[in-house]
C-alpha cells in the first residue's frame, strides 16, 4: 500500500496551486490588449489584438513615434513583449535581452548579454535568428542559440535558473521562442540538417528541471505515445508505429525537430505543435514514411502524453518542415461550431482539423502553383485517406539520387515558413504571409558525422515559371479552403502578421516596408520603409492612452541568408542565395525596433 505524508500531500497541493496561479496570471494578462505578453499574442496563436484606436480610416496618419537600435546585425525574427509599461526586446545571436521603461523615454532598465561560444553560429541552419522571449511567474524566459534556457527576473534581469536543452557539438541549436503553459515552459530544438533527433521538452517554471521530454521519432515510450490510445485520423497508431517506418537505426538521426510555434487550449489542456523534416534530405537513404516527422502533435500539457497526431507529408522528399503555427479558432461548419486548428503548412496545403479529436476537415492548396501533390485524399474509406497524392514528375525519390528534378513548387522554404499568420474573429479570415517560389532539387548520398551537415541535396530557387514576384499576402477562408484575396509582393513575405479590431492587418516586407491592409478588402492603406528588411512579427500595445505598432527590422532568415551571412554562391544557403540575389538592391543589414503611433490630434479626436 502506498502511503503519503502530510508534508508530501502539502507539496502536491502547492504544485497544483502554482500551476493554476501561473496559468491564470498569464491568461488574465493576455486578456488585457494593452499588453502583449506572449510571443504568439495569446494561447491560441491568433496574433489578434482588440485594440481599435488605429482603424482603416486613420491608419494612413501613422508616424514613427520612437526607435531603438538593438546593436546586433543579421536576421531579427520574432517581436517584443510589452508588460505593464515595460518592453522586452531580444536580438539574434548573441541573444541579448533589453528591458525598456516605456514610462521614461525607453530608458534601459536592465540588459542581459549572454556570453556564448561563437562556434554555434556555423551550426545554425538558416541564420542566427531567435524568435523571442516568453514571460511567466515574474520571469522572462530566453532560449539561447547554444540551447541554454535562462530564466531572468522580469524586474531586475537577475538570472533565476538555467537549463541545458541540447548539445551544439552534435548540431543541436535553438531558434524557437519558449512557450509558458501552466507551471511549465515548453522548449523546442533545432538541427535536423545535422541529423538531430527532435524533441519537445517541458521544464518546471519554478526551478528549470525537466518535467517531461517527448521525442518526435523512435520508441513509443520515448515519444510519449500510447499505441492504443494515441490516434491518427481516428485510429490507434499501433505499437512501434514510428520504429516500423524507418530502416534500421536511421530514426536515431531522423530529424523531426521542433523549432516552430506552439499553441494551447486551456479547456482541453492540450498543446499543439508541428515537427520538421526527416534527416537526410536525400529520401533514398530513408525508405518508409519516417514517422513522425512532418507531423502535428496534440499533447497533454501536464504529462506530455500524445492524444492525437497527423502526419502531413509522409516520407518527405522536399524539406517541407511541418513546424508552422497552429491557430486555434472556433469555426462554423454547416451550422455546427467546431473547435478547430488551422495550419498553413510548408508543403503548400492549408489544413483545418478538429483540435479535440484530430479529425481532418479541410486540406487545400493556398498557392495555386503548388504542384508536388495534386491533392490530399479526403475519402475516409480510402486506404490513403489523409495522404497527399504525389505527382511523380516532382518526386525526388522516384527520380533517384544524383538526378536534378526541376520545377518543383513550392521550394524547400515552403509556401510559408515559420512567419506566422494571424486570425481575426471579426472577419473570420486568416491572414497569411506566403512564399511564391519553386525549385530544382538534386539529392545525393551523404554520410552522418555528429556535428557536421547531414543534408544530401543541392537546391536552386526561383519564381514560378513566367513570373517575377516571389511572395503574396493572402486572406484565407479555413472552412471553405479558399483564398479570399491575394496581394502580390516582389519577395517572399517573411514577416509575421497582426490583425486588429480596428479592421487593419499589418505585415512587413523583405525590402523593409511595414504595410497596413484593410482586413476585409485587402486594400493597401499605409506603408513605411524601415532601415532594413523585415522578417520580424508585428506587435501592438497601448501605453498612456495611445495605441502603438512595433516591428523589428533586420534582414536575414533563410530568405535573406545571402545578405546576412555574405554568401554569393547561388546554391548556398540551402538554395536560397540565388533566388533572393536581387534583395541586396533594396535593403542592407540592420537591427532596429521601430514604433509607430497616430498623431496626438488624431487620437484625441477619437
Amino acid at each position: 500500500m502506498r502511503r503519503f505524508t502530510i508534508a508530501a500531500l502539502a507539496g502536491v497541493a502547492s504544485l497544483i496551486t502554482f500551476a493554476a496561479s501561473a496559468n491564470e496570471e498569464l491568461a488574465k494578462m493576455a486578456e488585457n490588449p494593452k499588453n502583449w505578453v506572449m510571443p504568439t499574442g495569446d494561447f491560441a496563436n491568433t496574433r489578434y489584438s482588440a485594440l481599435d484606436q488605429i482603424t482603416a480610416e486613420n491608419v494612413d496618419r501613422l508616424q514613427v513615434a520612437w526607435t531603438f537600435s538593438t546593436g546586433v546585425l543579421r536576421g531579427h525574427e520574432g517581436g517584443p513583449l510589452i508588460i505593464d509599461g515595460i518592453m522586452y526586446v531580444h536580438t539574434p545571436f548573441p541573444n541579448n535581452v533589453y528591458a525598456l521603461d516605456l514610462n521614461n523615454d525607453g530608458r534601459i532598465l536592465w540588459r542581459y548579454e549572454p556570453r556564448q561560444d561563437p562556434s554555434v553560429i556555423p551550426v545554425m541552419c538558416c541564420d542566427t535568428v531567435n524568435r523571442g522571449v516568453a514571460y511567466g511567474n515574474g520571469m522572462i524566459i530566453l532560449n539561447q542559440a547554444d540551447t541554454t534556457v535562462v530564466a531572468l527576473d522580469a524586474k531586475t534581469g537577475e538570472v533565476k535558473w538555467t537549463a541545458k536543452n541540447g548539445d551544439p557539438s552534435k548540431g543541436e541549436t535553438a531558434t524557437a521562442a519558449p512557450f509558458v503553459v501552466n507551471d511549465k515552459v515548453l522548449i523546442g530544438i533545432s538541427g535536423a540538417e545535422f541529423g538531430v533527433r527532435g524533441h519537445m521538452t517541458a521544464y518546471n517554471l519554478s526551478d528549470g528541471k525537466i518535467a517531461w521530454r517527448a521525442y518526435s521519432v523512435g520508441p513509443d515510450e520515448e515519444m510519449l505515445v500510447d499505441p492504443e490510445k494515441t490516434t491518427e485520423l481516428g485510429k490507434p497508431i499501433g505499437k512501434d508505429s514510428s520504429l516500423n517506418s524507418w530502416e534500421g537505426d536511421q530514426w536515431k538521426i531522423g530529424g523531426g525537430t521542433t523549432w516552430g510555434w506552439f499553441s494551447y487550449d486551456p479547456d482541453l489542456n492540450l498543446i499543439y505543435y508541428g515537427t520538421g523534416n526527416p534527416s537526410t534530405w536525400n529520401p533514398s537513404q530513408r525508405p518508409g514514411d519516417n514517422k513522425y516527422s512532418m507531423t502535428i502533435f496534440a499533447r497533454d500539457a501536464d504529462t506530455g502524453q500524445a492524444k492525437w497526431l497527423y502526419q502531413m507529408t509522409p516520407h518527405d522528399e522536399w524539406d517541407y518542415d511541418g513546424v508552422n503555427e497552429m491557430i486555434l479558432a472556433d469555426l462554423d461548419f454547416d451550422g455546427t461550431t467546431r473547435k478547430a486548428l488551422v495550419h498553413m503548412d510548408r508543403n503548400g496545403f492549408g489544413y483545418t482539423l478538429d483540435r479535440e479529436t484530430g479529425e481532418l476537415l479541410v486540406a487545400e492548396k493556398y498557392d495555386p502553383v503548388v504542384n508536388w501533390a495534386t491533392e490530399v485524399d479526403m475519402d475516409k474509406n480510402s486506404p490513403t485517406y489523409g495522404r497527399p497524392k504525389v505527382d511523380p514528375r516532382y518526386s525526388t525519390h522516384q527520380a533517384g539520387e544524383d538526378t536534378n528534378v526541376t520545377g518543383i513548387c513550392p521550394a524547400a522554404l515552403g509556401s510559408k515558413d515559420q512567419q506566422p499568420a494571424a486570425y481575426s474573429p471579426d472577419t473570420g479570415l486568416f491572414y497569411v504571409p506566403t512564399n511564391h517560389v519553386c525549385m530544382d532539387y538534386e539529392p545525393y548520398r551523404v554520410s552522418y558525422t555528429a556535428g557536421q551537415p547531414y543534408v544530401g541535396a543541392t537546391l536552386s530557387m526561383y519564381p514560378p515559371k513566367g513570373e517575377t514576384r516571389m511572395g503574396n499576402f493572402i486572406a484565407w477562408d479555413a472552412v471553405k479552403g479558399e483564398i479570399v484575396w491575394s496581394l502580390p509582393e516582389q519577395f517572399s513575405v517573411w514577416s509575421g502578421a497582426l490583425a486588429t479590431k480596428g479592421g487593419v492587418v499589418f505585415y512587413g516586407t523583405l525590402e523593409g516596408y511595414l504595410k497596413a491592409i484593410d482586413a476585409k478588402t485587402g486594400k493597401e492603406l499605409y506603408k513605411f520603409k524601415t532601415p532594413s528588411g523585415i522578417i520580424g512579427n508585428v506587435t501592438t500595445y497601448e501605453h498612456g492612452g495611445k495605441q502603438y505598432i512595433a516591428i523589428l527590422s533586420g534582414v536575414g532568415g533563410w530568405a535573406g541568408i545571402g545578405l546576412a551571412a555574405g554568401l554569393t554562391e547561388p546554391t548556398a544557403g540551402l538554395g536560397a542565395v540565388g533566388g533572393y540575389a536581387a534583395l541586396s538592391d533594396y535593403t542592407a543589414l540592420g537591427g532596429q525596433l521601430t514604433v509607430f503611433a497616430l498623431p496626438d490630434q488624431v487620437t484625441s479626436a477619437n
Side-chain angles (χ1 to χ4, degrees):
M1 181 177 176
R2 191 172 183 181
R3 299 182 183 275
F4 295 92
T5 65
I6 292 177
L9 289 172
V12 171
S14 65
L15 285 174
I16 294 173
T17 301
F18 177 83
S21 61
N23 205 52
E24 289 171 3
E25 176 202 26
L26 198 55
K28 186 175 182 179
M29 293 173 69
E31 290 175 358
N32 180 1
K34 295 181 180 181
N35 291 328
W36 191 273
V37 299
M38 305 181 199
T40 55
D42 53 30
F43 283 137
N45 214 330
T46 63
R47 298 182 187 272
Y48 169 82
S49 172
L51 296 179
D52 59 2
Q53 188 179 95
I54 298 171
T55 68
E57 288 71 37
N58 64 25
V59 68
D60 62 341
R61 304 285 299 279
L62 276 184
Q63 298 177 348
V64 174
W66 59 280
T67 62
F68 176 77
S69 174
T70 68
V72 178
L73 299 178
R74 300 194 69 158
H76 283 60
E77 289 185 348
L81 299 184
I82 299 91
I83 303 172
D84 297 334
I86 300 176
M87 177 181 285
Y88 300 93
V89 179
H90 72 287
T91 76
F93 183 93
N95 307 137
N96 299 331
V97 180
Y98 298 93
L100 307 181
D101 186 355
L102 300 180
N103 293 307
N104 190 8
D105 202 27
R107 175 176 173 265
I108 300 174
L109 294 172
W110 56 260
R111 70 188 78 199
Y112 175 70
E113 298 175 320
R115 296 290 180 262
Q116 299 184 68
D117 189 333
S119 64
V120 73
I121 294 176
V123 190
M124 301 182 77
C125 157
C126 310
D127 203 7
T128 59
V129 298
N130 182 284
R131 298 186 184 93
V133 295
Y135 172 85
N137 196 36
M139 296 181 291
I140 297 296
I141 314 297
L142 169 67
N143 188 18
Q144 295 178 183
D146 65 2
T147 76
T148 302
V149 184
V150 184
L152 306 167
D153 186 288
K155 294 191 180 301
T156 67
E158 175 191 359
V159 176
K160 307 298 287 186
W161 56 257
T162 65
K164 194 68 172 174
N165 194 53
D167 182 355
S169 71
K170 297 178 181 178
E172 296 174 332
T173 56
T175 57
F179 190 67
V180 174
V181 172
N182 298 335
D183 60 342
K184 298 175 178 64
V185 55
L186 304 179
I187 302 291
I189 197 77
S190 303
E193 280 63 54
F194 290 80
V196 168
R197 181 185 172 210
H199 52 74
M200 175 65 69
T201 306
Y203 291 88
N204 292 328
L205 193 56
S206 59
D207 57 14
K209 294 180 179 179
I210 290 181
W212 54 260
R213 171 168 286 176
Y215 284 90
S216 305
V217 303
D220 293 342
E221 61 273 16
E222 294 182 13
M223 289 183 59
L224 302 188
V225 297
D226 186 315
E228 301 304 320
K229 294 181 180 179
T230 302
T231 62
E232 181 171 22
L233 299 177
K235 297 180 180 179
I237 59 173
K239 182 176 175 57
D240 296 330
S241 57
S242 177
L243 291 179
N244 294 336
S245 69
W246 294 86
E247 187 175 75
D249 288 340
Q250 181 74 27
W251 60 271
K252 293 182 178 179
I253 50 173
T257 47
T258 51
W259 51 273
W261 301 98
F262 320 129
S263 52
Y264 172 61
D265 185 327
D267 293 332
L268 301 175
N269 199 36
L270 293 177
I271 58 168
Y272 306 89
Y273 66 93
T275 62
N277 62 283
S279 301
T280 160
W281 286 19
N282 178 0
S284 298
Q285 288 187 242
R286 43 173 177 77
D289 278 355
N290 309 134
K291 297 179 181 294
Y292 286 99
S293 62
M294 324 301 275
T295 297
I296 298 172
F297 276 91
R299 294 188 181 275
D300 183 278
D302 296 324
T303 65
Q305 190 72 24
K307 180 177 181 180
W308 61 261
L309 48 81
Y310 169 57
Q311 187 178 38
M312 296 162 291
T313 313
H315 186 59
D316 169 59
E317 307 172 39
W318 311 269
D319 184 45
Y320 292 152
D321 293 51
V323 302
N324 293 351
E325 73 286 350
M326 315 293 161
I327 302 177
L328 312 184
D330 294 344
L331 303 178
D332 184 273
F333 282 81
D334 298 324
T336 300
T337 300
R338 304 292 295 265
K339 288 180 173 292
L341 175 155
V342 176
H343 170 75
M344 314 302 286
D345 196 63
R346 280 255 293 264
N347 69 15
F349 285 86
Y351 297 88
T352 306
L353 298 95
D354 185 301
R355 67 178 181 266
E356 185 170 10
T357 65
E359 178 186 352
L360 182 61
L361 304 173
V362 176
E364 297 289 346
K365 298 176 182 179
Y366 63 96
D367 187 339
V369 302
V370 172
N371 64 13
W372 68 276
T374 57
E375 62 181 351
V376 172
D377 188 349
M378 297 296 289
D379 181 358
K380 293 183 178 180
N381 297 317
S382 170
T384 59
Y385 170 51
R387 294 178 70 95
K389 297 181 180 179
V390 176
D391 188 326
R393 294 175 296 175
Y394 305 109
S395 170
T396 67
H397 189 177
Q398 293 186 46
E401 293 177 349
D402 304 317
T403 300
N404 190 33
V405 181
T406 63
I408 304 169
C409 305
L413 41 67
S415 292
K416 188 179 87 64
D417 204 337
Q418 61 75 36
Q419 61 269 39
Y423 168 69
S424 171
D426 304 321
T427 63
L429 298 177
F430 295 77
Y431 301 96
V432 189
T434 75
N435 311 313
H436 190 61
V437 188
C438 302
M439 69 175 173
D440 299 341
Y441 191 112
E442 182 177 349
Y444 59 86
R445 188 153 292 267
V446 63
S447 58
Y448 172 78
T449 301
Q452 297 299 312
Y454 187 53
V455 178
T458 300
L459 280 63
S460 298
M461 300 184 191
Y462 43 82
K465 186 177 181 180
E467 300 188 45
T468 57
R469 76 181 193 278
M470 300 177 71
N472 296 295
F473 187 78
I474 70 170
W476 177 255
D477 185 322
V479 175
K480 297 179 179 178
E482 295 178 354
I483 297 172
V484 176
W485 49 255
S486 179
L487 302 178
E489 289 287 351
Q490 181 172 357
F491 298 104
S492 294
V493 185
W494 211 267
S495 158
L498 169 73
T500 70
K501 191 173 181 59
V504 185
V505 176
F506 296 88
Y507 69 95
T509 74
L510 277 173
E511 304 101 301
Y513 284 103
L514 173 76
K515 292 191 174 185
I517 307 299
D518 187 292
K520 293 180 180 179
T521 67
K523 179 183 177 181
E524 183 178 299
L525 304 172
Y526 172 83
K527 68 177 182 179
F528 180 92
K529 194 170 187 181
T530 64
S532 184
I534 295 175
I535 64 170
N537 304 329
V538 190
T539 304
T540 190
Y541 65 97
E542 182 181 310
H543 185 71
K546 182 177 285 192
Q547 181 183 357
Y548 293 87
I549 303 293
I551 185 67
L552 286 169
S553 60
V555 71
W558 193 356
I561 189 65
L563 267 177
L567 305 176
T568 57
E569 182 66 30
T571 58
L574 299 175
V577 172
Y580 295 86
L583 189 56
S584 62
D585 295 335
Y586 295 87
T587 191
L589 294 180
Q592 177 173 301
L593 174 79
T594 307
V595 181
F596 301 81
L598 295 171
D600 288 339
Q601 61 267 32
V602 176
T603 57
S604 61
N606 289 344

